[in-house]
Coordinates of all heavy atoms in Angstrom, one line a residue:
Y6 N 15.0 10.2 10.4 CA 14.5 9.0 9.7 C 13.5 8.3 10.6 O 13.6 8.4 11.8 CB 15.7 8.1 9.4 CG 16.6 8.7 8.3 CD1 17.6 9.6 8.6 CD2 16.3 8.4 7.0 CE1 18.4 10.2 7.5 CE2 17.0 8.9 5.9 CZ 18.1 9.8 6.2 OH 18.8 10.4 5.2
I7 N 12.6 7.6 10.0 CA 11.6 7.0 10.7 C 11.4 5.5 10.3 O 11.9 5.2 9.2 CB 10.2 7.7 10.7 CG1 9.7 7.7 9.2 CG2 10.4 9.0 11.2 CD1 8.2 7.8 9.1
E8 N 10.7 4.8 11.1 CA 10.2 3.4 10.7 C 8.7 3.5 10.6 O 8.1 3.9 11.6 CB 10.7 2.4 11.7 CG 10.2 1.0 11.4 CD 10.8 0.1 12.5 OE1 11.9 -0.5 12.4 OE2 10.0 -0.2 13.5
A9 N 8.2 3.1 9.5 CA 6.7 3.1 9.3 C 6.2 1.7 9.2 O 6.8 0.9 8.5 CB 6.4 3.8 8.0
T10 N 5.2 1.4 10.0 CA 4.6 0.0 10.0 C 3.3 0.2 9.3 O 2.4 0.9 9.6 CB 4.4 -0.5 11.4 OG1 5.7 -0.5 12.2 CG2 3.8 -1.9 11.4
C11 N 3.1 -0.7 8.3 CA 1.8 -0.7 7.5 C 0.6 -1.2 8.4 O 0.8 -2.2 9.0 CB 1.9 -1.6 6.3 SG 3.2 -1.1 5.1
L12 N -0.4 -0.4 8.4 CA -1.6 -0.8 9.2 C -2.5 -1.6 8.4 O -3.4 -2.3 9.0 CB -2.3 0.5 9.7 CG -1.5 1.3 10.7 CD1 -2.2 2.6 11.0 CD2 -1.1 0.6 11.9
T13 N -2.4 -1.7 7.1 CA -3.2 -2.4 6.2 C -2.4 -2.9 5.0 O -1.3 -2.4 4.8 CB -4.5 -1.7 5.7 OG1 -4.0 -0.6 4.9 CG2 -5.4 -1.1 6.8
D14 N -2.9 -3.8 4.2 CA -2.3 -4.2 3.0 C -2.5 -3.1 2.0 O -3.5 -2.5 1.9 CB -2.9 -5.5 2.4 CG -2.5 -6.7 3.3 OD1 -1.6 -6.7 4.1 OD2 -3.1 -7.7 3.1
G15 N -1.5 -2.7 1.2 CA -1.6 -1.7 0.2 C -0.7 -1.9 -0.9 O 0.1 -2.9 -1.0
I16 N -0.5 -0.9 -1.7 CA 0.3 -1.0 -2.9 C 1.8 -0.9 -2.7 O 2.6 -1.3 -3.6 CB 0.0 0.1 -4.0 CG1 0.3 1.5 -3.5 CG2 -1.5 -0.1 -4.4 CD1 0.2 2.6 -4.5
I17 N 2.2 -0.5 -1.5 CA 3.7 -0.6 -1.2 C 4.0 -1.5 0.0 O 5.2 -1.6 0.2 CB 4.2 0.9 -0.9 CG1 3.6 1.5 0.3 CG2 4.0 1.7 -2.1 CD1 4.3 2.8 0.8
G18 N 3.1 -2.0 0.7 CA 3.5 -2.9 1.7 C 2.3 -3.7 2.2 O 1.1 -3.4 2.0
L19 N 2.6 -4.8 3.0 CA 1.6 -5.6 3.7 C 1.4 -5.2 5.1 O 2.4 -4.7 5.7 CB 2.0 -7.1 3.5 CG 2.2 -7.6 2.1 CD1 2.8 -9.1 2.2 CD2 0.8 -7.6 1.4
C20 N 0.2 -5.5 5.6 CA -0.1 -5.2 7.0 C 1.1 -5.7 7.9 O 1.5 -6.9 7.8 CB -1.4 -5.7 7.5 SG -2.0 -5.2 9.1
G21 N 1.6 -4.9 8.8 CA 2.7 -5.3 9.7 C 4.1 -5.1 9.2 O 5.0 -5.1 9.9
Q22 N 4.2 -4.9 7.9 CA 5.5 -4.7 7.2 C 6.2 -3.3 7.7 O 5.5 -2.4 7.8 CB 5.4 -4.7 5.7 CG 6.8 -4.6 5.0 CD 6.6 -4.7 3.5 OE1 5.5 -4.9 3.0 NE2 7.8 -4.7 2.8
K23 N 7.4 -3.3 7.9 CA 8.1 -2.2 8.4 C 8.9 -1.5 7.2 O 9.5 -2.3 6.5 CB 9.1 -2.5 9.5 CG 8.4 -3.0 10.7 CD 9.1 -2.9 11.9 CE 8.5 -3.4 13.2 NZ 7.1 -3.0 13.4
I24 N 8.7 -0.3 7.0 CA 9.4 0.5 5.9 C 10.2 1.6 6.5 O 9.7 2.3 7.4 CB 8.3 1.0 4.9 CG1 7.5 -0.2 4.4 CG2 9.0 1.9 3.8 CD1 6.3 0.2 3.6
R25 N 11.3 1.8 6.0 CA 12.2 2.9 6.5 C 12.2 4.0 5.5 O 12.2 3.8 4.3 CB 13.6 2.5 6.9 CG 13.6 1.4 7.9 CD 14.9 1.1 8.3 NE 14.8 0.8 9.8 CZ 15.8 0.9 10.6 NH1 17.0 1.2 10.1 NH2 15.6 0.7 11.8
G26 N 12.3 5.2 6.0 CA 12.3 6.4 5.1 C 12.5 7.7 5.9 O 12.8 7.6 7.1
R27 N 12.5 8.8 5.2 CA 12.7 10.0 5.8 C 11.3 10.8 5.8 O 10.7 10.9 4.7 CB 13.7 10.8 5.1 CG 14.0 12.2 5.7 CD 15.2 12.8 5.0 NE 15.4 14.2 5.6 CZ 15.0 15.3 5.1 NH1 14.2 15.3 4.0 NH2 15.2 16.5 5.7
E28 N 10.9 11.3 6.9 CA 9.6 12.1 6.9 C 10.0 13.6 6.7 O 10.9 14.2 7.3 CB 8.9 12.0 8.2 CG 7.6 12.7 8.3 CD 7.0 12.6 9.7 OE1 7.7 12.5 10.7 OE2 5.8 12.6 9.7
F29 N 9.3 14.2 5.7 CA 9.6 15.6 5.4 C 8.3 16.2 4.9 O 7.6 15.7 4.0 CB 10.6 15.7 4.3 CG 10.8 17.1 3.9 CD1 11.6 17.9 4.7 CD2 10.2 17.7 2.8 CE1 11.9 19.3 4.3 CE2 10.4 19.0 2.4 CZ 11.2 19.8 3.2
H30 N 7.9 17.3 5.5 CA 6.7 18.0 5.0 C 6.7 19.5 5.5 O 7.4 19.8 6.5 CB 5.4 17.3 5.5 CG 5.4 16.9 6.9 ND1 4.9 17.7 7.9 CD2 5.8 15.8 7.5 CE1 5.0 17.1 9.0 NE2 5.5 15.9 8.8
C31 N 6.0 20.3 4.8 CA 5.9 21.7 5.1 C 4.4 22.0 5.4 O 3.9 23.1 5.3 CB 6.4 22.6 3.9 SG 8.1 22.3 3.6
S32 N 3.7 21.0 5.7 CA 2.2 21.1 6.1 C 1.9 20.1 7.1 O 2.9 19.3 7.5 CB 1.3 21.0 4.9 OG 1.5 19.7 4.4
R33 N 0.8 20.0 7.6 CA 0.4 18.9 8.5 C -0.9 18.3 8.1 O -1.8 19.0 7.6 CB 0.5 19.3 9.9 CG -0.5 20.4 10.3 CD -0.2 20.9 11.7 NE -1.1 22.1 11.9 CZ -1.9 22.2 12.9 NH1 -2.1 21.2 13.7 NH2 -2.7 23.2 13.0
M34 N -1.1 17.1 8.5 CA -2.4 16.5 8.2 C -3.3 16.5 9.4 O -2.9 16.3 10.5 CB -2.1 14.9 7.9 CG -3.2 14.2 7.3 SD -2.7 12.6 6.8 CE -2.9 11.7 8.2
I35 N -4.4 17.0 9.2 CA -5.5 17.1 10.4 C -6.7 16.2 10.0 O -7.3 16.4 8.9 CB -5.9 18.5 10.5 CG1 -4.7 19.4 10.9 CG2 -7.0 18.6 11.6 CD1 -5.0 20.9 10.9
A36 N -7.0 15.3 10.9 CA -8.2 14.4 10.6 C -9.2 14.7 11.7 O -8.9 14.3 12.9 CB -7.8 13.0 10.6
D37 N -10.3 15.3 11.4 CA -11.3 15.5 12.5 C -12.0 14.3 13.0 O -12.4 14.2 14.1 CB -12.4 16.5 11.9 CG -11.9 17.9 11.8 OD1 -10.9 18.2 12.4 OD2 -12.5 18.6 10.9
C38 N -12.0 13.2 12.2 CA -12.6 12.0 12.6 C -11.5 10.9 12.9 O -11.4 9.9 12.3 CB -13.5 11.5 11.4 SG -12.6 11.4 9.8
D39 N -10.6 11.3 13.8 CA -9.4 10.5 14.1 C -9.7 9.0 14.2 O -9.0 8.2 13.8 CB -8.8 11.1 15.3 CG -7.3 10.7 15.4 OD1 -6.7 10.8 14.4 OD2 -6.9 10.3 16.5
D40 N -10.8 8.6 14.9 CA -11.0 7.2 15.1 C -11.4 6.5 13.9 O -11.3 5.3 13.8 CB -12.1 7.0 16.2 CG -11.6 7.4 17.6 OD1 -10.4 7.4 17.9 OD2 -12.4 7.8 18.5
E41 N -12.0 7.2 13.0 CA -12.5 6.6 11.8 C -11.6 6.7 10.5 O -11.8 6.2 9.5 CB -13.9 7.1 11.4 CG -15.0 6.8 12.5 CD -16.2 7.6 12.3 OE1 -16.5 8.1 11.1 OE2 -17.0 7.8 13.2
F42 N -10.6 7.6 10.7 CA -9.8 8.0 9.5 C -8.9 6.7 9.1 O -8.3 6.1 10.0 CB -8.8 9.2 9.9 CG -8.1 9.7 8.7 CD1 -8.7 10.6 7.9 CD2 -6.8 9.3 8.4 CE1 -8.1 11.2 6.8 CE2 -6.2 9.8 7.3 CZ -6.8 10.8 6.5
P43 N -8.8 6.4 7.8 CA -8.1 5.2 7.3 C -6.6 5.5 7.2 O -6.0 5.6 6.2 CB -8.8 5.0 5.9 CG -9.1 6.4 5.5 CD -9.6 7.1 6.7
Y44 N -6.0 5.6 8.4 CA -4.5 5.8 8.5 C -3.9 4.6 7.8 O -4.3 3.5 8.0 CB -4.0 6.0 9.9 CG -4.3 7.3 10.5 CD1 -5.3 7.4 11.4 CD2 -3.6 8.4 10.2 CE1 -5.7 8.7 11.9 CE2 -3.9 9.7 10.7 CZ -4.9 9.8 11.6 OH -5.2 11.0 12.2
A45 N -2.7 4.9 7.1 CA -2.0 3.8 6.5 C -0.9 3.2 7.2 O -0.5 2.1 7.1 CB -1.5 4.3 5.1
F46 N -0.3 4.0 8.1 CA 0.9 3.7 8.9 C 0.9 4.1 10.3 O 0.2 5.1 10.6 CB 2.1 4.3 8.1 CG 2.3 3.9 6.7 CD1 1.8 4.7 5.7 CD2 3.0 2.8 6.4 CE1 1.9 4.3 4.4 CE2 3.2 2.4 5.0 CZ 2.6 3.1 4.0
E47 N 1.7 3.4 11.0 CA 2.1 3.9 12.3 C 3.6 4.3 12.2 O 4.5 3.5 11.8 CB 2.0 2.9 13.4 CG 2.4 3.5 14.8 CD 2.4 2.5 15.9 OE1 3.4 1.7 16.0 OE2 1.5 2.6 16.7
F48 N 3.9 5.6 12.4 CA 5.4 6.1 12.4 C 6.0 5.9 13.7 O 5.4 6.1 14.8 CB 5.3 7.5 12.0 CG 5.1 7.7 10.4 CD1 4.8 6.7 9.6 CD2 5.3 9.0 9.9 CE1 4.6 6.9 8.3 CE2 5.0 9.2 8.6 CZ 4.8 8.2 7.7
Y49 N 7.3 5.5 13.7 CA 8.1 5.5 14.9 C 9.4 6.3 14.7 O 10.1 6.0 13.7 CB 8.4 4.0 15.3 CG 9.5 3.9 16.3 CD1 9.2 4.4 17.6 CD2 10.6 3.3 16.1 CE1 10.2 4.3 18.6 CE2 11.6 3.2 17.1 CZ 11.4 3.7 18.4 OH 12.3 3.6 19.3
K50 N 9.7 7.2 15.5 CA 10.9 8.0 15.4 C 11.9 7.5 16.5 O 11.7 7.8 17.6 CB 10.6 9.5 15.6 CG 9.8 10.2 14.5 CD 9.7 11.6 14.8 CE 9.0 12.3 13.6 NZ 9.0 13.7 13.7
P51 N 12.9 6.8 16.0 CA 13.8 6.2 17.0 C 14.6 7.2 17.9 O 14.8 6.9 19.1 CB 14.9 5.5 16.1 CG 14.2 5.2 14.8 CD 13.2 6.4 14.6
R52 N 14.9 8.4 17.4 CA 15.6 9.3 18.1 C 14.7 9.9 19.3 O 15.3 10.1 20.4 CB 16.0 10.6 17.4 CG 17.1 10.3 16.5 CD 17.6 11.6 15.8 NE 18.9 11.4 15.1 CZ 19.5 12.3 14.4 NH1 18.9 13.5 14.3 NH2 20.7 12.0 13.9
S53 N 13.4 10.1 19.2 CA 12.6 10.6 20.2 C 11.7 9.6 20.9 O 11.1 9.8 21.9 CB 11.7 11.7 19.6 OG 10.7 11.2 18.8
G54 N 11.5 8.4 20.2 CA 10.6 7.4 20.7 C 9.2 7.7 20.4 O 8.3 6.9 20.8
Q55 N 8.9 8.8 19.7 CA 7.5 9.2 19.4 C 6.9 8.2 18.4 O 7.5 7.7 17.4 CB 7.6 10.6 18.7 CG 6.2 11.2 18.5 CD 6.3 12.6 17.9 OE1 7.3 13.0 17.4 NE2 5.2 13.3 17.8
R56 N 5.6 7.9 18.7 CA 4.8 7.0 17.7 C 3.5 7.8 17.5 O 2.9 8.4 18.4 CB 4.5 5.7 18.4 CG 5.6 4.7 18.6 CD 5.2 3.5 19.3 NE 6.3 2.6 19.5 CZ 6.8 1.8 18.6 NH1 6.4 1.7 17.3 NH2 7.9 1.1 18.8
Y57 N 3.1 7.7 16.2 CA 1.8 8.3 15.8 C 1.4 7.7 14.4 O 2.2 7.2 13.7 CB 2.0 9.8 15.7 CG 3.1 10.2 14.9 CD1 2.9 10.6 13.5 CD2 4.4 10.3 15.3 CE1 4.0 11.0 12.7 CE2 5.5 10.8 14.5 CZ 5.2 11.1 13.2 OH 6.3 11.4 12.4
R58 N 0.1 7.8 14.2 CA -0.5 7.3 12.9 C -0.3 8.4 11.9 O -0.5 9.6 12.2 CB -1.9 6.8 13.1 CG -2.0 5.6 14.0 CD -3.4 5.2 14.2 NE -4.1 6.2 14.9 CZ -5.4 6.3 15.0 NH1 -6.1 5.4 14.4 NH2 -6.0 7.3 15.7
S59 N -0.1 8.0 10.6 CA 0.0 8.9 9.6 C -0.3 8.3 8.2 O -0.4 7.1 8.1 CB 1.5 9.5 9.6 OG 1.5 10.5 8.6
G60 N -0.4 9.1 7.2 CA -0.7 8.6 5.8 C -2.1 8.3 5.7 O -2.9 8.2 6.6
Y61 N -2.5 8.1 4.4 CA -3.9 7.7 4.0 C -3.8 6.7 3.0 O -3.0 6.8 2.1 CB -4.5 9.0 3.5 CG -6.0 8.7 2.9 CD1 -7.1 8.6 3.7 CD2 -6.1 8.6 1.5 CE1 -8.3 8.3 3.2 CE2 -7.4 8.4 1.0 CZ -8.4 8.3 1.8 OH -9.6 8.0 1.2
R62 N -4.6 5.7 3.0 CA -4.7 4.7 1.9 C -6.2 4.4 1.6 O -7.0 4.3 2.5 CB -4.0 3.3 2.4 CG -3.9 2.4 1.3 CD -3.5 1.0 1.8 NE -4.6 0.3 2.3 CZ -5.6 -0.3 1.7 NH1 -5.7 -0.1 0.4 NH2 -6.6 -1.0 2.3
S63 N -6.4 4.3 0.3 CA -7.7 3.9 -0.2 C -7.5 3.2 -1.6 O -6.9 3.7 -2.5 CB -8.5 5.2 -0.4 OG -9.8 4.9 -1.0
A64 N -8.0 2.0 -1.6 CA -7.9 1.2 -2.9 C -6.4 1.2 -3.3 O -5.6 0.7 -2.6 CB -8.8 1.7 -3.9
N65 N -6.1 1.7 -4.5 CA -4.8 1.6 -5.1 C -4.1 2.9 -5.0 O -3.1 3.2 -5.7 CB -4.8 1.1 -6.5 CG -5.5 2.2 -7.4 OD1 -6.2 3.1 -6.9 ND2 -5.3 2.1 -8.7
M66 N -4.3 3.7 -3.9 CA -3.7 5.0 -3.7 C -3.2 5.1 -2.2 O -3.8 4.6 -1.3 CB -4.7 6.1 -3.9 CG -4.2 7.5 -4.0 SD -4.1 8.3 -2.3 CE -5.7 8.3 -1.7
V67 N -2.0 5.7 -2.1 CA -1.5 6.0 -0.8 C -0.9 7.4 -0.8 O -0.3 7.8 -1.7 CB -0.4 4.9 -0.4 CG1 0.8 4.9 -1.3 CG2 0.0 5.1 1.1
A68 N -1.1 8.1 0.3 CA -0.6 9.5 0.4 C 0.1 9.6 1.8 O -0.5 9.2 2.8 CB -1.8 10.5 0.3
L69 N 1.3 10.0 1.8 CA 2.0 10.1 3.0 C 3.2 11.0 2.9 O 3.6 11.4 1.7 CB 2.5 8.7 3.5 CG 3.5 8.1 2.7 CD1 4.2 7.0 3.6 CD2 3.0 7.3 1.6
Y70 N 3.8 11.5 4.0 CA 4.9 12.3 4.1 C 6.2 11.6 4.2 O 7.2 12.1 4.8 CB 4.8 13.3 5.2 CG 3.7 14.4 5.1 CD1 2.7 14.5 6.0 CD2 3.8 15.3 4.0 CE1 1.8 15.5 5.9 CE2 2.9 16.2 3.9 CZ 1.8 16.3 4.8 OH 0.9 17.3 4.7
L71 N 6.3 10.3 3.7 CA 7.4 9.5 3.8 C 8.2 9.4 2.5 O 7.6 9.1 1.5 CB 7.0 8.1 4.3 CG 8.1 7.1 4.5 CD1 9.0 7.6 5.7 CD2 7.5 5.7 4.9
H72 N 9.5 9.9 2.6 CA 10.3 9.7 1.3 C 11.0 8.4 1.4 O 11.8 8.2 2.4 CB 11.3 10.9 1.3 CG 10.7 12.2 1.1 ND1 11.3 13.2 0.4 CD2 9.5 12.7 1.6 CE1 10.5 14.2 0.4 NE2 9.4 14.0 1.2
L73 N 10.8 7.6 0.4 CA 11.4 6.2 0.4 C 12.6 6.2 -0.5 O 12.6 6.8 -1.5 CB 10.4 5.2 -0.1 CG 9.0 5.0 0.7 CD1 8.1 4.2 -0.2 CD2 9.3 4.5 1.9
H74 N 13.6 5.4 0.0 CA 14.7 5.1 -0.9 C 14.6 3.7 -1.2 O 14.8 2.8 -0.4 CB 16.0 5.4 -0.2 CG 17.2 5.3 -1.0 ND1 17.7 4.1 -1.5 CD2 18.1 6.2 -1.5 CE1 18.8 4.3 -2.3 NE2 19.0 5.6 -2.2
F75 N 14.2 3.4 -2.5 CA 13.9 2.0 -2.9 C 15.0 1.0 -2.7 O 14.8 -0.2 -2.5 CB 13.3 1.9 -4.3 CG 11.9 2.4 -4.3 CD1 11.5 3.3 -5.3 CD2 10.9 2.0 -3.4 CE1 10.1 3.8 -5.3 CE2 9.6 2.5 -3.5 CZ 9.2 3.4 -4.4
L76 N 16.3 1.4 -2.8 CA 17.4 0.6 -2.6 C 17.4 0.0 -1.2 O 17.8 -1.1 -1.0 CB 18.7 1.3 -2.9 CG 20.0 0.4 -2.9 CD1 19.9 -0.7 -3.9 CD2 21.2 1.2 -3.2
G77 N 17.0 0.8 -0.3 CA 16.9 0.3 1.1 C 15.6 -0.4 1.4 O 15.4 -0.8 2.6
N78 N 14.7 -0.4 0.5 CA 13.3 -0.9 0.7 C 13.0 -1.7 -0.5 O 12.0 -1.5 -1.2 CB 12.2 0.1 0.9 CG 12.4 0.9 2.2 OD1 12.1 0.4 3.2 ND2 13.0 2.1 2.1
R79 N 13.7 -2.7 -0.9 CA 13.6 -3.5 -2.2 C 12.2 -4.2 -2.2 O 11.6 -4.3 -3.3 CB 14.7 -4.5 -2.3 CG 16.0 -3.7 -2.6 CD 17.2 -4.6 -2.9 NE 18.4 -3.9 -2.9 CZ 19.4 -4.3 -3.6 NH1 19.5 -5.4 -4.3 NH2 20.5 -3.5 -3.7
D80 N 11.8 -4.7 -1.1 CA 10.4 -5.4 -1.0 C 9.3 -4.4 -1.4 O 8.4 -4.7 -2.0 CB 10.2 -6.0 0.4 CG 11.1 -7.2 0.6 OD1 11.7 -7.8 -0.4 OD2 11.2 -7.6 1.8
V81 N 9.5 -3.2 -0.9 CA 8.6 -2.1 -1.2 C 8.6 -1.8 -2.7 O 7.5 -1.7 -3.3 CB 8.8 -0.9 -0.4 CG1 7.9 0.3 -0.8 CG2 8.6 -1.1 1.1
A82 N 9.7 -1.7 -3.2 CA 9.8 -1.3 -4.7 C 9.2 -2.5 -5.5 O 8.5 -2.2 -6.4 CB 11.3 -1.2 -5.1
R83 N 9.4 -3.7 -5.1 CA 8.9 -4.8 -5.9 C 7.4 -4.9 -5.8 O 6.7 -5.0 -6.8 CB 9.5 -6.1 -5.4 CG 8.8 -7.4 -5.9 CD 9.0 -7.7 -7.3 NE 10.4 -7.8 -7.7 CZ 10.9 -7.6 -8.9 NH1 10.1 -7.4 -9.8 NH2 12.2 -7.7 -9.1
R84 N 6.8 -4.7 -4.6 CA 5.4 -4.7 -4.4 C 4.7 -3.5 -5.2 O 3.7 -3.7 -5.8 CB 5.0 -4.6 -2.9 CG 3.5 -4.6 -2.7 CD 3.2 -5.1 -1.4 NE 1.8 -5.0 -1.2 CZ 0.9 -5.9 -1.4 NH1 1.4 -7.1 -1.9 NH2 -0.4 -5.8 -1.2
F85 N 5.4 -2.4 -5.2 CA 4.8 -1.2 -5.8 C 4.8 -1.5 -7.4 O 3.8 -1.3 -8.1 CB 5.6 0.1 -5.6 CG 5.2 1.2 -6.4 CD1 3.9 1.8 -6.1 CD2 5.9 1.8 -7.3 CE1 3.5 2.9 -6.8 CE2 5.5 2.9 -8.1 CZ 4.2 3.5 -7.8
M86 N 5.9 -2.0 -7.9 CA 5.9 -2.4 -9.3 C 4.9 -3.5 -9.7 O 4.3 -3.4 -10.8 CB 7.4 -2.8 -9.8 CG 8.3 -1.7 -9.7 SD 7.9 -0.2 -10.8 CE 7.8 -1.0 -12.3
D87 N 4.8 -4.4 -8.8 CA 3.8 -5.5 -9.1 C 2.4 -5.0 -9.0 O 1.5 -5.3 -9.8 CB 4.0 -6.6 -8.0 CG 5.2 -7.5 -8.2 OD1 5.8 -7.4 -9.3 OD2 5.6 -8.2 -7.3
S88 N 2.2 -4.0 -8.1 CA 0.8 -3.4 -8.0 C 0.5 -2.6 -9.4 O -0.6 -2.6 -9.8 CB 0.7 -2.5 -6.8 OG 0.8 -3.2 -5.6
C89 N 1.5 -1.9 -9.8 CA 1.4 -1.0 -11.0 C 1.0 -2.0 -12.2 O 0.1 -1.7 -13.0 CB 2.5 -0.3 -11.4 SG 2.8 1.1 -10.2
C90 N 1.8 -3.1 -12.3 CA 1.5 -4.1 -13.5 C 0.2 -4.7 -13.3 O -0.5 -4.9 -14.4 CB 2.7 -5.1 -13.5 SG 4.3 -4.5 -14.0
A91 N -0.2 -5.0 -12.1 CA -1.5 -5.7 -12.0 C -2.6 -4.7 -12.3 O -3.6 -5.0 -13.0 CB -1.7 -6.1 -10.5
F92 N -2.5 -3.4 -12.0 CA -3.5 -2.4 -12.3 C -3.6 -2.3 -13.8 O -4.6 -2.1 -14.3 CB -3.1 -1.1 -11.6 CG -4.1 0.0 -11.9 CD1 -5.3 0.1 -11.2 CD2 -3.8 1.0 -12.9 CE1 -6.2 1.0 -11.5 CE2 -4.7 1.9 -13.2 CZ -5.9 2.0 -12.5
K93 N -2.4 -2.2 -14.4 CA -2.4 -2.0 -15.9 C -3.1 -3.2 -16.6 O -3.9 -3.0 -17.5 CB -0.9 -1.9 -16.4 CG -0.8 -1.8 -17.9 CD 0.6 -1.8 -18.3 CE 0.7 -1.8 -19.8 NZ 2.0 -1.9 -20.3
E94 N -2.7 -4.4 -16.1 CA -3.4 -5.6 -16.7 C -4.9 -5.6 -16.5 O -5.6 -6.1 -17.4 CB -2.8 -6.9 -16.2 CG -1.3 -7.1 -16.6 CD -1.2 -7.3 -18.1 OE1 -2.0 -8.0 -18.7 OE2 -0.3 -6.8 -18.7
S95 N -5.4 -5.2 -15.4 CA -6.8 -5.2 -15.1 C -7.6 -4.2 -15.9 O -8.7 -4.2 -15.9 CB -7.0 -5.1 -13.6 OG -6.7 -3.8 -13.1
N96 N -6.8 -3.1 -16.4 CA -7.5 -2.1 -17.1 C -7.2 -2.0 -18.7 O -7.5 -1.0 -19.3 CB -7.1 -0.7 -16.5 CG -7.7 -0.5 -15.1 OD1 -8.9 -0.4 -15.0 ND2 -6.9 -0.6 -14.1
L97 N -6.7 -3.1 -19.1 CA -6.5 -3.2 -20.6 C -7.8 -3.2 -21.4 O -8.7 -3.9 -21.0 CB -5.6 -4.4 -21.0 CG -4.1 -4.3 -20.5 CD1 -3.4 -5.6 -20.9 CD2 -3.4 -3.1 -21.2
D98 N -7.8 -2.6 -22.4 CA -9.0 -2.7 -23.3 C -9.0 -3.9 -24.2 O -8.0 -4.3 -24.7 CB -9.1 -1.4 -24.3 CG -9.4 -0.2 -23.5 OD1 -9.9 -0.2 -22.5 OD2 -8.9 0.8 -24.0
G99 N -10.1 -4.5 -24.2 CA -10.2 -5.7 -25.1 C -9.9 -7.0 -24.5 O -9.9 -8.0 -24.8

């Protein structure tokens, strides 16, 4: 399990907000332009003390290897639902 700190405001959290979840993946993310890459989170692993940037965020999209359990992250669930509703409202025809 890890603690992820949002590096920017996005659809699931605000800059500085901490989110807990489980990191799981069978691949790895490689960014050749590490200094310029729009990382979405700083991950912290309490067991090892390891810290590293991860995830990608652009506009209303976020991609990451973090599995969230919304019951333990109710603010994240609410922000995600609010973001979805706002997107739907902004794209209604007529």
Side-chain angles (χ1 to χ4, degrees):
Y6 290 91
I7 63 154
E8 179 179 273
T10 303
C11 299
L12 297 176
T13 61
D14 291 347
I16 63 171
I17 64 170
L19 298 173
C20 186
Q22 183 176 0
K23 298 195 183 314
I24 299 170
R25 298 186 143 202
R27 181 173 180 267
E28 183 184 30
F29 178 81
H30 47 90
C31 297
S32 63
R33 65 188 169 119
M34 192 170 90
I35 299 172
D37 290 336
C38 52
D39 201 44
D40 291 335
E41 300 171 18
F42 192 81
Y44 286 103
F46 299 93
E47 179 183 78
F48 282 5
Y49 169 65
K50 291 185 174 184
R52 285 187 170 179
S53 67
Q55 185 181 13
R56 290 183 183 275
Y57 53 97
R58 294 179 294 164
S59 188
Y61 173 81
R62 189 191 76 74
S63 177
N65 65 343
M66 189 273 300
V67 64
L69 67 159
Y70 290 120
L71 185 62
H72 294 215
L73 300 172
H74 187 290
F75 286 132
L76 186 59
N78 292 285
R79 291 179 187 210
D80 290 342
V81 171
R83 169 68 59 200
R84 180 156 177 91
F85 179 67
M86 292 304 298
D87 289 347
S88 296
C89 291
C90 290
F92 180 80
K93 178 182 175 187
E94 290 297 317
S95 69
N96 288 292
L97 288 177
D98 291 332

